[in-house]
Amino acid sequence: MARFLVLIVLSSFALSRAFAQAAPEPAVRLAEVVVTPSRFGVADQKLAIGASLTSAELETLPQIGDDLYRSIARLPGLAGDDFTASFWVRGAPNGELLARLDGVELIEPFHLKDIEGALSIVDPQVVQRLDLMTGGFTAEFGNRSAAVLTMETKTPTASRSSVGLSLTGLGASNQGVLANQRGRWLVAARRGYPDVALKVAGRDDEVSPRYWDAMAKFEYQVAPAHTVSFHVLHASDTLRYQRDKGRTLNSSYDSDYVWVRWRATPTPRLTGETVVSLAQLGWNRDGDGALDGFPFALHDRRRLDLASLRSEWSLAWGERVLWRGGLEAQQGRSRYDYTLLHQRTVVSDSRQVVETQAVNTRLRPEGNATGGFVAVRVRPWAALTVEPALRYDRRDHAGDSAGSPRLNASLALGGATVRAAWGIYRQSVGLHELDVAAGETTFHRAAQAEHRVIGIERALGRGTLFRVEAYERRTTRLRSHWENLDNAYDLFPEAQPDRVRLDPAQARARGVEALLSGRPDPRLTWNASYALARTEELLGRAWVPRARDQRHTVYADATYTPNARWSLSASWQYHSGTPTTDVVYSLATLTNGRRVLVSANGPVYGLRLPAYHRLDLRATRRIHVRRGDLRVFLDVFNAYDRVNLVGYDHRVTVTGTQVTDVKKPREQLPLLPSAGVSWEF
């Protein structure tokens, strides 16, 4: 790594001397050149990359629950299902995605974590710009092995308020300016009420979830080239679940962030930002009752306190060399108080015995983390931009440190742009991520992923743009993990019989993605994409598909705006069946001659579900009133009521020595109409 760093420094000085007095600056500033191939964006205006949507387009597309993560899950390389907003990225779970909002890292940014994060904590109404990098991202992003999502909230230009009401929640926001627009504020809050919907449906006697979140930003331009902003974000949710003479669960989750951000351009060639933040997160679960006919008790308390500092700067040296560098530091402590008592009957040596699972863990880990990077972006001639970089990270609690070299490049060839990336990416286990339910008490060393990405983008005329990309990601030093192979959505996953430990030696993801977008007319926009992918882990000597392996994926959407009052949108998606694991039932003969029914997992992810597809529709009507504007929308989720599966239940009967297993499909969401109205004034 030292040699690589020396090579960067020496070559950069040589190149900077060679090009500092070169030709005049090209039309596109060096800092604005996109060198990341796998990048998608959402902004108020069209970005200088092809795979992008405007925030207005995102607002009019069909979306369940007005959820930002669900809205962007239609982009190539992403995979999810109807129940969760926590999408996978090119075969990697969401935990390998770095998410930042206004410069601060968001940790597990989801509501209703007991069902794998049904909604995100980010209000889409406050987001002005979004960038998603699904691979090959540059060196300023550390401690994530798969992808990066950065979000920026809106910058108010005038005083404005809004109130929104839908079948899923209530929201309100206020924004304004002061001191000749040197000061700006933005406040927004949401209250989701699935508990109210369940009460109306007569289901509140069994489960009652609720959530709310709020954010505030105040920024002030203290000098022409210096802006300081203060931010607060709070999210919380609760869930109560109770069945007669069965299990009960009471859970609550809280996320609190406070941070200060300083963005500066001291000189035309020097820009940077510094973010100081405090985060506090809490996880609370209490469950009891009967499970498999035996008493069951769960007490789970976790907490994370984290203080962070990050500072990044860019310096243009001449017109063709751009230095970039940054440092970051974290100090954190966490707490685990976990108790689990569970019993079940098993057959061992032809005897039926009671197996007890008892876990009692009290841990107080803490530690510091540091990181930094140096990169140089060089444009030896107008068509080519390259950026070699080196990143270094250290995590004290895991006793782990290493360097990560990366290389990105962009080449303009006539009307096409070729982008490529290679790099090493490392991710450590967070202070809050020990799997204490499985008896884990020490931190595993950082996983290591190697990315190889190449893509080409070309404008085809009349507002049409085509992009194709190939990628490969190989991951080693993998941590053992526990998965529920048959049912990932049980409220007590650690106590289920389908939960097994997987010890992969390595993992790989590879694929080809093609995206075609068109804006042939101001009234019509459309996007279509296709992905051919494979993601798998090496278990023993066999490569086994990962939980979200989708061989073929197709997305298509279109929005037609005939006038300023109406917008009509449709979104369709298809993917081949994801893997699941069969359950095999048989009769075991005991030493006393009695036969009992037993079950076992089949081959890990050896069964495929049927293909998934659905159509979503949205109509939006804008109405100008005396004071402001109304926006009324009607959504139809799964418009042709496709029965998509998430797994199987089993109906088992025993006749003599014959065991009959009838699989009963476990369905995802049916046709769901939704409506809402917002008033902006």
Side-chain angles (χ1 to χ4, degrees):
M1 296 304 167
R3 292 180 180 179
F4 191 84
L5 178 59
V6 171
L7 179 61
I8 290 177
V9 173
L10 293 179
S11 61
S12 301
F13 273 106
L15 288 171
S16 64
R17 288 178 61 87
F19 295 115
Q21 304 300 324
E25 182 179 7
V28 179
R29 295 177 59 238
L30 186 58
E32 298 172 350
V33 175
V34 177
V35 294
T36 303
S38 306
R39 182 177 174 185
F40 304 88
V42 175
D44 275 351
Q45 296 180 348
K46 194 78 169 68
L47 298 176
I49 54 176
S52 65
L53 300 168
T54 68
S55 56
E57 291 168 349
L58 187 65
E59 181 182 278
T60 59
L61 286 172
Q63 49 186 289
I64 185 171
D66 285 328
D67 186 79
L68 179 68
Y69 272 54
R70 289 178 180 270
S71 299
I72 64 177
R74 58 175 50 90
L75 293 172
L78 307 189
D81 60 37
D82 297 354
F83 299 126
T84 177
S86 176
F87 53 77
W88 287 44
V89 184
R90 289 180 173 174
N94 198 269
E96 297 180 29
L97 166 80
L98 171 64
R100 283 182 183 170
L101 176 68
D102 283 344
V104 76
E105 178 183 350
L106 300 182
I107 303 167
E108 294 187 9
F110 299 101
H111 288 298
L112 305 176
K113 294 183 176 67
D114 295 302
I115 48 178
E116 298 296 318
L119 298 165
S120 70
I121 66 174
V122 181
D123 186 348
Q125 304 303 318
V126 304
V127 174
Q128 175 174 289
R129 189 174 77 250
L130 176 153
D131 283 311
L132 174 66
M133 290 159 276
T134 55
F137 43 94
T138 46
E140 65 266 37
F141 303 108
N143 200 39
R144 285 301 184 274
S145 58
V148 173
L149 173 64
T150 60
M151 297 164 282
E152 296 288 335
T153 56
K154 293 179 178 178
T155 301
T157 58
S159 296
R160 189 175 300 169
S161 299
S162 69
V163 178
L165 176 67
S166 71
L167 297 181
T168 57
L170 172 68
S173 68
N174 177 261
Q175 60 184 359
V177 297
L178 52 82
N180 294 322
Q181 298 203 349
R182 293 178 62 188
R184 294 171 287 272
W185 76 83
L186 172 63
V187 180
R190 298 185 300 174
R191 198 315 194 164
Y193 41 73
D195 54 322
V196 176
L198 288 168
K199 186 174 183 178
V200 172
R203 296 283 304 278
D204 62 315
D205 58 332
E206 181 173 317
V207 60
S208 179
R210 65 181 66 182
Y211 67 89
W212 75 284
D213 53 61
M215 65 82 60
K217 176 179 76 170
F218 176 77
E219 61 181 23
Y220 193 82
Q221 188 176 5
V222 296
H226 299 266
T227 300
V228 177
S229 55
F230 303 87
H231 307 253
V232 177
L233 173 64
H234 171 77
S236 64
D237 51 274
T238 62
L239 184 140
R240 177 186 58 82
Y241 169 79
Q242 183 172 7
R243 299 186 67 177
D244 292 339
K245 299 179 181 179
R247 295 166 288 175
T248 65
L249 173 68
N250 289 282
S251 67
S252 63
Y253 303 92
D254 293 280
S255 301
D256 291 285
Y257 300 87
V258 179
W259 69 102
V260 179
R261 189 185 195 188
W262 169 44
R263 288 171 291 173
T265 308
T267 73
R269 297 187 179 279
L270 178 64
T271 62
E273 76 166 15
T274 299
V275 179
V276 179
S277 65
L278 297 174
Q280 184 178 97
L281 288 86
W283 299 259
N284 304 290
R285 297 167 66 219
D286 287 290
D288 56 28
L291 187 61
D292 299 328
F294 291 94
F296 168 82
L298 169 70
H299 175 81
D300 185 3
R301 293 286 187 276
R302 283 189 293 147
R303 176 169 166 165
L304 173 68
D305 294 277
L306 196 65
S308 303
L309 167 67
R310 180 175 58 84
S311 186
E312 297 173 4
W313 294 84
S314 298
L315 174 64
W317 193 349
E319 307 298 345
R320 294 179 179 268
V321 177
L322 178 73
W323 282 91
R324 301 197 305 120
L327 296 170
E328 58 185 278
Q330 288 185 341
Q331 184 179 55
R333 63 176 183 269
S334 59
R335 184 185 72 193
Y336 296 84
D337 295 307
Y338 185 88
T339 303
L340 173 65
L341 179 62
H342 172 232
Q343 294 177 316
R344 66 163 64 98
T345 58
V346 297
V347 174
S348 176
D349 295 329
S350 299
R351 297 177 182 273
Q352 192 171 29
V353 298
V354 176
E355 181 182 77
T356 300
Q357 180 184 6
V359 182
N360 192 344
T361 303
R362 301 289 184 272
L363 295 174
R364 301 293 186 269
E366 59 182 43
N368 301 325
T370 54
F373 77 97
V374 60
V376 59
R377 183 171 297 183
V378 181
R379 181 157 48 187
W381 61 87
L384 176 65
T385 302
V386 295
E387 182 176 293
L390 179 65
R391 182 173 182 90
Y392 176 84
D393 290 282
R394 177 181 176 82
R395 305 278 161 173
D396 289 346
H397 64 273
D400 190 68
S401 62
S404 305
R406 301 179 190 179
L407 179 64
N408 292 69
S410 174
L411 176 64
L413 298 174
T417 301
V418 179
R419 297 185 179 94
W422 171 88
I424 301 297
Y425 301 80
R426 292 184 168 87
Q427 180 169 343
S428 299
V429 180
L431 282 168
H432 63 292
E433 293 180 318
L434 284 176
D435 192 351
V436 292
E440 190 175 48
T441 59
T442 58
F443 292 92
H444 190 273
R445 63 177 178 170
Q448 176 175 298
E450 179 184 3
H451 291 208
R452 303 171 183 175
V453 189
I454 186 168
I456 185 169
E457 179 177 291
R458 182 178 179 84
L460 302 180
R462 297 193 63 185
T464 304
L465 190 138
F466 175 72
R467 169 171 150 179
V468 64
E469 192 165 289
Y471 67 89
E472 181 181 53
R473 185 183 67 244
R474 289 183 172 270
T475 309
T476 56
R477 304 180 186 176
L478 289 166
R479 170 192 182 193
S480 299
H481 56 97
W482 290 75
E483 291 192 15
N484 292 75
L485 299 178
D486 178 51
N487 181 11
Y489 288 109
D490 193 276
L491 294 178
F492 304 99
E494 61 265 66
Q496 298 308 308
D498 67 333
R499 191 168 181 84
V500 300
R501 173 174 169 165
L502 302 180
D503 296 292
Q506 57 179 296
R508 64 189 182 192
R510 57 184 66 173
V512 178
E513 299 168 356
L515 175 68
L516 191 65
S517 64
R519 287 158 178 80
D521 186 281
R523 297 172 297 177
L524 176 65
T525 63
W526 58 269
N527 301 276
S529 66
Y530 167 74
L532 172 66
R534 182 192 297 268
T535 175
E536 50 198 354
E537 292 180 332
L538 182 61
L539 300 177
R541 296 183 177 181
W543 285 98
V544 175
R546 300 195 75 178
R548 294 292 183 188
D549 179 48
Q550 295 177 185
R551 195 62 45 83
H552 304 280
T553 305
V554 179
Y555 289 103
D557 63 67
T559 299
Y560 179 61
T561 308
N563 51 54
R565 299 184 303 276
W566 283 97
S567 291
L568 307 173
S569 298
S571 174
W572 184 80
Q573 58 180 283
Y574 163 92
H575 65 74
S576 50
T578 53
T580 187
T581 302
D582 200 6
V583 180
V584 180
Y585 294 88
S586 61
L587 291 174
T589 303
L590 306 181
T591 55
N592 61 6
R594 188 166 64 94
R595 293 187 179 93
V596 296
L597 183 69
V598 296
S599 64
N601 292 316
V604 174
Y605 293 130
L607 188 66
R608 288 275 176 175
L609 297 173
Y612 176 106
H613 56 87
R614 79 167 197 261
L615 172 68
D616 302 333
L617 304 172
R618 170 173 281 210
T620 305
R621 174 72 159 91
R622 291 174 175 81
I623 305 171
H624 182 70
V625 294
R626 176 177 296 181
R627 187 179 178 186
D629 294 284
L630 290 176
R631 182 175 65 91
V632 182
F633 71 86
L634 172 66
D635 254 336
V636 182
F637 178 88
N638 195 3
Y640 51 75
D641 203 17
R642 162 74 177 182
V643 177
N644 293 304
L645 304 189
V646 72
Y648 296 101
D649 291 322
H650 297 264
R651 184 177 299 166
V652 182
T653 58
V654 179
T655 306
T657 60
Q658 183 70 34
V659 178
T660 303
D661 176 16
V662 178
K663 291 184 177 66
K664 181 181 179 181
R666 198 159 54 235
E667 300 177 5
Q668 299 197 55
L669 296 180
L671 183 150
L672 289 176
S674 178
V677 59
S678 64
W679 176 31
E680 190 174 278
F681 55 94

